[in-house]
Amino acid sequence: MRYFIGNWKMFGVPKSINILNKINYFHSKDKNRQKYKVVITPPYTLIETYAKYFKNKKISIGSQNCYQKDQFSSNTAAVSPFMIKSVGAKYTLIGHSDNRSEGDTNEMLKNKVFFALKNNLKVVFCIGENKIQKKNKKTFNVLKKQLINVLDKKFNQNNIIVAYEPIWSIGTGKIPTKNELKETTIYIKQVLKNIFRKKSPAVLYGGSVDGSNVEMFKEIREIDGFLIGGASKTSKKFIDIIKNYYR
Ligand code: 13P
């Protein structure tokens, strides 16, 4: 199974549902539709209406983050996995570099993953090195720490997906070379196998993915799909990625 996950970040108002409608229509007619899943993570404000609308359709809705506690608490502006699940979301991103840079620690991320799984959300756990770490050849080291400090072998690996998003590639148009990315993906899967003592969960790539560079990514069979930012905000760009992947 392949994944095409669109992360809208701070984008979208109620009528932006038209974008999802077009993607859903494309999916419903696509001869390859059994081979992949489409997930969109709109901002919190839109999850409930979108999840209701797409309840019996093939697009799944997720959140972009969640708070590190269960149920209810007295933390202003916090939204728990329980609350996210209760409005129909099926997935949540956790550990996006935007949130790590705003203070998410490994301990917080571990609690987020724990409570998200407890509430039956599928977790898309994001990892990635920054430009300096890459330059200093610390990529593998950084990724390994991000994985082993948060993911626990007791977690239900069937509900975990890992998204490798090099920070220097997010929103920049810069992407890793094919060899680099293949090696890194294999490395991530090896670390995950060691954590779970079984086969690795799916590993996605994210960072400047678009309809033209997806042709290169598809040659790396270890990559199980994509986490797409900018190109998920217009239906045409998002659909082009799927079309070109299966061409
Ligand atoms: P871009 O596709 O805009 O580079 O964003 C990637 C991303 O951060 C998805 O979570």
Side-chain angles (χ1 to χ4, degrees), residues 58-97:
K58 291 296 176 199
I59 291 183
S60 297
I61 300 298
S63 62
Q64 298 171 13
N65 196 359
C66 62
Y67 198 66
Q68 61 269 20
K69 288 185 185 170
D70 204 3
Q71 305 261 335
F72 303 136
S73 75
S74 55
N75 300 86
T76 301
V79 183
S80 70
F82 170 80
M83 292 154 76
I84 292 164
K85 178 75 184 181
S86 77
V87 292
K90 297 208 169 75
Y91 289 77
T92 184
L93 307 183
I94 290 178
H96 192 281
S97 62

Side-chain angles (χ1 to χ4, degrees), residues 233-246:
K233 295 186 282 189
T234 47
S235 54
K236 183 180 180 315
K237 286 186 181 171
F238 192 78
I239 290 167
D240 274 352
I241 293 173
I242 301 176
K243 273 190 190 159
N244 291 344
Y245 186 83
Y246 288 105

Side-chain angles (χ1 to χ4, degrees), residues 94-109:
I94 290 178
H96 192 281
S97 62
D98 288 341
N99 307 123
R100 290 178 188 261
S101 71
E102 286 163 356
D104 273 17
T105 62
N106 285 332
E107 194 190 350
M108 285 158 67
L109 295 175

Side-chain angles (χ1 to χ4, degrees), residues 7 9 93 96 98 165 169-172 206-209 227-231:
N7 174 14
K9 309 187 184 183
L93 307 183
H96 192 281
D98 288 341
E165 299 205 294
S169 172
I170 295 175
T172 59
S208 298
V209 177
L227 182 53
I228 301 152

